[in-house]
Amino acid sequence: MSADTLLDHLENVKRTGDGRWLARCPAHADRRASLAVRELSSGVILAHCFAGCSIAEVVGAVGLDMSALFPEKINADGTKPERRPFPAADVLRAVSFETMIVAIAAADMAAGKTIKPVDLKRLRIAARRLLTAAEAFQ
Ligand SMILES: [Zn+2]
C-alpha cells in the first residue's frame, strides 16, 4: 500500500517534503498537526504522533491495521504470500484500545447520552477489529 491509503483517512494533511507529510492525529483530540507521516523508498510507511499515540492507535483510529503500513509483497510465482500473524503483544494492545472505545460508548449510553453516527461507525470498526483479533489466534 502507499502512503495515500493512510493519508486519505487523515485531516489537515500538509506535504512537508518528498514522501513526508504532517496531519492531524486521528487517535487523540489533535488541534494542530501532530502526526508526521513518511513513506520510505521501500514502500514502508512510518508515522509518529508527537503527542505520544502509538502507531497501532493511529492506524486503528481510522479503521486500518498495521498491514496498511507495509507494501504488499508478491511471491516470485505472482501469488500473494501467506499472511503472518501479528505478535500477540501487538494484538493485545489493539484489543485494549478497542475495548476502551466500547467501554466509553457503554458509559455514555448508561448515562443516557445518544450515540452520534460517527461514534456508531467507530464502534462498528471496533467490533470488526475485535473479531479479527480473535481470529488471529485460531
Ligand atoms: Zn496522537
Side-chain angles (χ1 to χ4, degrees):
M1 299 205 188
S2 73
D4 291 339
T5 305
L6 176 62
L7 295 171
D8 285 350
H9 289 82
L10 301 177
E11 293 177 357
N12 283 28
V13 177
K14 200 170 98 182
R15 192 170 176 270
T16 56
D18 194 26
R20 293 169 187 263
W21 300 266
L22 281 174
R24 275 199 190 139
C25 174
H28 77 274
D30 196 5
R31 304 176 92 184
R32 30 184 232 126
S34 301
L35 185 69
V37 178
R38 186 169 172 209
E39 184 171 29
L40 304 179
S41 57
S42 62
V44 172
I45 315 298
L46 302 178
H48 177 75
C49 173
F50 289 100
C53 300
S54 74
I55 186 65
E57 290 168 337
V58 170
V59 295
V62 295
L64 296 173
D65 60 40
M66 298 295 275
S67 67
L69 304 175
F70 298 93
E72 201 170 355
K73 292 192 174 85
I74 303 292
N75 291 331
D77 63 359
T79 60
K80 290 182 181 177
E82 212 172 297
R83 291 187 74 177
R84 295 226 172 133
F86 296 110
D90 289 352
V91 174
L92 193 56
R93 265 192 291 277
V95 166
S96 299
F97 181 72
E98 298 304 324
T99 302
M100 281 307 298
I101 289 170
V102 174
I104 290 166
D108 282 352
M109 289 192 304
K113 292 182 187 168
T114 304
I115 302 295
K116 288 184 240 163
V118 65
D119 294 333
L120 191 59
K121 188 177 166 192
R122 185 58 186 84
L123 277 171
R124 288 196 184 104
I125 291 169
R128 194 178 68 227
R129 295 193 75 219
L130 288 167
L131 288 171
T132 302
E135 289 167 0
F137 295 99
Q138 285 179 349

